[in-house]
Amino acid sequence: MKKALITGLTGQDGSYLAELLLTKGYQVFGLVRRSSGSNLDRIGHLGDRIQVISGDLLDQTSLMDAITVAQPDEVYNLASQSYIPTSWTQPSLTAEYTALGVSRLLEAIRRCQPDARFYQASSSEVFGEPETSPQDERTAFRPRNPYGAAKAYAHWMTINYRQQYNLYACCGITYTHESPRRGAEFVFRKITRTAAMIKLGLASELKLGNLDAKRDWCYAKDAVMAMWLMLQQEQPDDYIIASGETHSVRELVECAFNYVGLNWQDYVVIDPSFYRPDEAVQLVGNIDRTKAKLRWQPEYSFQQLVELMLESDLQQLSKDAIDPKVQLVSQLN
């Protein structure tokens, strides 16, 4: 039985990866930062099938202890401060977790379990304002926010540890990936959830910024499959994880509102405060090499992903509407 240690276990990707590894017969350990309000909702359905270890990317000793306890064959680092607006208000904290936290984890692996295979969740934000589109594994990094800069540091530290210490260490440069477990602050989930709320009479408008902005969106379940495949290869390498196509926010809005039988123009309000800097070149991943080397490609189309998330939001919101506990909390607020 293989053993895997996942940081960021309670996040969207961590929960889906844990499910995948359990289906493949792994013993799964999850590193969870101790706090009074730890959110285990995304992994609650897995019960006691995962062994949770207390640890923190800010604390080198706790990482070494976690590696020693788990003795993992594979380590997946999915933990970071990943919300870009927060990276501007808390740049130092973002650097501590997203950049230096990876150095600490790599050093813990080197000292305690050097034969373990390591996956680092890199990000398309390292490209920032790329010179070319689509981007591939050789595209130059030009990050435009503290989160992207921190991810760039983590990416190159992973490569340096691979080269200097001969660790099996890989980076997956993931583009935006979504699921029903995505936080409501991210635009894809914000749109599907609000469209569902409007359909159910729970909201009356949706505030958005630039409708012409385009993104490369894929399904989180597809993304974690690529992560796992990266650690099953003979040699470590870095890969793009994306859909390979772009869709505008406008397309997303139209698709979501059409699915619930509403005219989006009756409900969408443009708010300039949500605008991001102009993007001269689009962020979109070239996944030709990933498909060829890993024999991987996304299984879900853009429209299937929109419909999947809307169905989930509609079901959850309808369930909450008739749940007495939810109603009581709503009344108290």
Side-chain angles (χ1 to χ4, degrees):
M1 178 182 290
K2 281 187 176 181
K3 293 186 287 186
L5 174 65
I6 303 172
T7 73
L9 173 70
T10 60
Q12 167 188 255
D13 294 0
S15 63
Y16 281 122
L17 179 61
E19 289 177 352
L20 174 65
L21 295 178
L22 288 171
T23 65
K24 295 185 177 298
Y26 281 66
Q27 182 178 1
V28 178
F29 298 82
L31 187 76
V32 175
R33 185 163 55 94
R34 185 181 298 280
S35 69
S36 59
S38 294
N39 184 1
L40 303 179
D41 292 347
R42 293 189 180 98
I43 60 170
H45 63 290
L46 299 177
D48 58 359
R49 301 172 65 194
I50 298 175
Q51 183 172 333
V52 174
I53 302 175
S54 179
D56 197 314
L57 290 180
L58 299 185
D59 180 45
Q60 181 76 62
T61 300
S62 73
L63 296 178
M64 294 176 66
D65 289 345
I67 296 291
T68 301
V69 170
Q71 292 290 296
D73 299 286
E74 297 171 4
V75 178
Y76 296 85
N77 182 40
L78 309 182
S80 71
Q81 190 303 102
S82 59
Y83 191 47
I84 291 172
T86 300
S87 77
W88 284 110
T89 58
Q90 299 183 19
S92 296
L93 185 64
T94 298
E96 284 289 348
Y97 275 109
T98 307
L100 296 179
V102 179
S103 293
R104 298 183 187 102
L105 186 54
L106 284 163
E107 187 63 14
I109 292 170
R110 183 183 77 84
R111 295 185 186 186
C112 303
Q113 191 78 352
D115 292 332
R117 297 188 170 197
F118 176 71
Y119 172 83
Q120 165 59 20
S122 193
S123 167
S124 60
E125 288 294 330
V126 300
F127 296 130
E129 191 178 65
E131 295 179 346
T132 59
S133 186
Q135 298 82 45
D136 60 26
E137 294 83 358
R138 296 168 295 178
T139 300
F141 289 4
R142 300 175 65 186
R144 298 183 68 197
N145 54 64
Y147 171 71
K151 281 292 188 182
Y153 173 94
H155 183 100
W156 284 111
M157 284 301 291
T158 301
I159 292 174
N160 272 269
Y161 265 71
R162 180 169 75 212
Q163 295 172 341
Q164 180 69 20
Y165 298 116
N166 200 31
L167 295 184
Y168 191 111
C170 305
C171 295
I173 305 175
T174 54
Y175 284 65
T176 310
H177 45 291
E178 309 292 337
S179 79
R181 300 177 190 174
R182 183 69 143 158
E185 69 273 19
F186 294 93
V187 69
F188 201 114
R189 181 77 194 288
K190 175 182 177 180
I191 290 170
T192 62
R193 183 171 176 80
T194 306
M197 292 177 69
I198 292 173
K199 178 64 176 179
L200 297 172
L202 302 173
S204 60
E205 66 178 21
L206 168 61
K207 290 186 177 182
L208 294 171
N210 182 11
L211 297 183
D212 295 320
K214 293 185 177 181
R215 293 289 180 271
D216 183 329
W217 282 298
C218 68
Y219 185 25
K221 273 192 174 182
D222 288 336
V224 300
M225 174 59 77
M227 297 173 192
W228 176 75
L229 286 170
M230 286 175 62
L231 298 195
Q232 313 314 308
Q233 308 305 304
E234 288 189 13
Q235 298 297 325
D237 210 341
D238 310 311
Y239 296 91
I240 297 285
I241 302 175
S243 72
E245 59 185 41
T246 59
H247 295 274
S248 68
V249 174
R250 188 185 306 274
E251 288 179 78
L252 172 54
V253 169
E254 290 176 347
C255 188
F257 278 82
N258 285 342
Y259 187 73
V260 296
L262 298 173
N263 181 356
W264 68 272
Q265 292 174 316
D266 294 334
Y267 303 99
V268 172
V269 176
I270 301 302
D271 185 340
S273 68
F274 290 122
Y275 272 67
R276 291 178 63 175
D278 290 337
E279 297 165 340
V281 180
Q282 292 298 321
L283 278 174
V284 54
N286 181 341
I287 58 174
D288 290 346
R289 183 169 169 275
T290 308
K291 291 194 289 186
K293 295 282 189 178
L294 302 184
R295 301 184 182 277
W296 170 90
Q297 65 179 11
E299 293 187 8
Y300 280 73
S301 68
F302 172 75
Q303 183 164 343
Q304 287 175 318
L305 178 56
V306 174
E307 294 176 358
L308 170 75
M309 292 181 64
L310 267 166
E311 280 297 325
S312 176
D313 284 328
L314 286 166
Q315 291 177 17
Q316 186 60 54
L317 289 166
S318 297
K319 179 182 176 182
D320 290 347
I322 61 175
D323 188 331
K325 293 180 180 178
V326 174
Q327 291 179 347
L328 178 60
V329 171
S330 178
Q331 291 170 4
L332 291 174
N333 291 338

